[in-house]
Amino acid sequence: MSTAKRIVLSSDHAAIDLRQTLAKHIADKGYEVSDIGPQTPESTHYPKHGEAAARAVAAGEADLGIILCGTGQGIMMAANKVKGIRCGVCSEPFSARMTREHNNANMLSIGARVVGESLAVEIVDAFLDAEFEGGRHGQRVDMITEIEG
């Protein structure tokens, strides 16, 4: 990798351990990692963590974002409310790769209570290794962006 991409990670309390494991894995791959999630297991609200990571990506402070909660669903919904964010929740590597290649997703969401650690690593690798294909997919991504207004 010639230029290290900046990756922001966040989660709620349900995914701290997996988030920290993924942050280390991503840093070991040569990416610049910003872990903005909670560090203690006290209950916290996933919408604020999804929004914070999404705002970092939307502002250009990070190239991509990876967020986690128990299912990956709620935190993904919060992130997708931020203009310019395309976040997919993925439970296997194929969808993670395709959401980058076909949907130009700039964020990935994972359910820490849905997938185990080694599968989560595979999902993250598939997401980070994929590149947007453009072409007919670009037209469709433009259509998604138009919905934002």
Side-chain angles (χ1 to χ4, degrees), residues 46-100:
Y46 60 79
K48 70 179 187 175
H49 300 292
E51 178 187 6
R55 293 212 182 276
V57 172
E61 297 165 10
D63 300 302
L64 298 170
I66 298 173
I67 52 178
L68 304 96
C69 68
T71 64
Q73 298 290 346
I75 200 164
M76 176 270 300
M77 291 178 192
N80 277 324
K81 295 294 183 182
V82 175
K83 188 173 183 166
I85 296 303
R86 288 173 308 282
C87 182
V89 61
C90 298
S91 299
E92 36 68 36
F94 177 76
S95 294
R97 179 172 55 84
M98 296 306 285
T99 198
R100 287 280 296 134

Side-chain angles (χ1 to χ4, degrees), residues 111-122:
R113 294 177 178 155
V114 177
V115 302
E117 182 179 302
S118 58
L119 181 54
V121 167
E122 289 181 42

Side-chain angles (χ1 to χ4, degrees), residues 3 19 35 48 63 75 91 96-97 123 131 133 139 141:
T3 305
R19 187 193 76 236
D35 182 347
K48 70 179 187 175
D63 300 302
I75 200 164
S91 299
R97 179 172 55 84
I123 293 166
E131 294 290 334
E133 291 179 356
Q139 180 182 16
V141 171

Side-chain angles (χ1 to χ4, degrees), residues 2-85:
S2 57
T3 305
K5 284 188 178 176
R6 300 164 300 160
I7 312 297
V8 63
L9 286 95
S10 195
S11 73
D12 68 358
H13 59 280
I16 291 173
D17 292 340
L18 182 56
R19 187 193 76 236
Q20 291 173 340
T21 296
L22 294 175
K24 180 181 181 329
H25 173 74
I26 294 165
D28 288 348
K29 287 179 62 103
Y31 292 92
E32 180 184 322
V33 174
S34 175
D35 182 347
I36 62 170
Q39 301 298 314
T40 59
E42 287 81 29
S43 182
T44 185
H45 302 294
Y46 60 79
K48 70 179 187 175
H49 300 292
E51 178 187 6
R55 293 212 182 276
V57 172
E61 297 165 10
D63 300 302
L64 298 170
I66 298 173
I67 52 178
L68 304 96
C69 68
T71 64
Q73 298 290 346
I75 200 164
M76 176 270 300
M77 291 178 192
N80 277 324
K81 295 294 183 182
V82 175
K83 188 173 183 166
I85 296 303

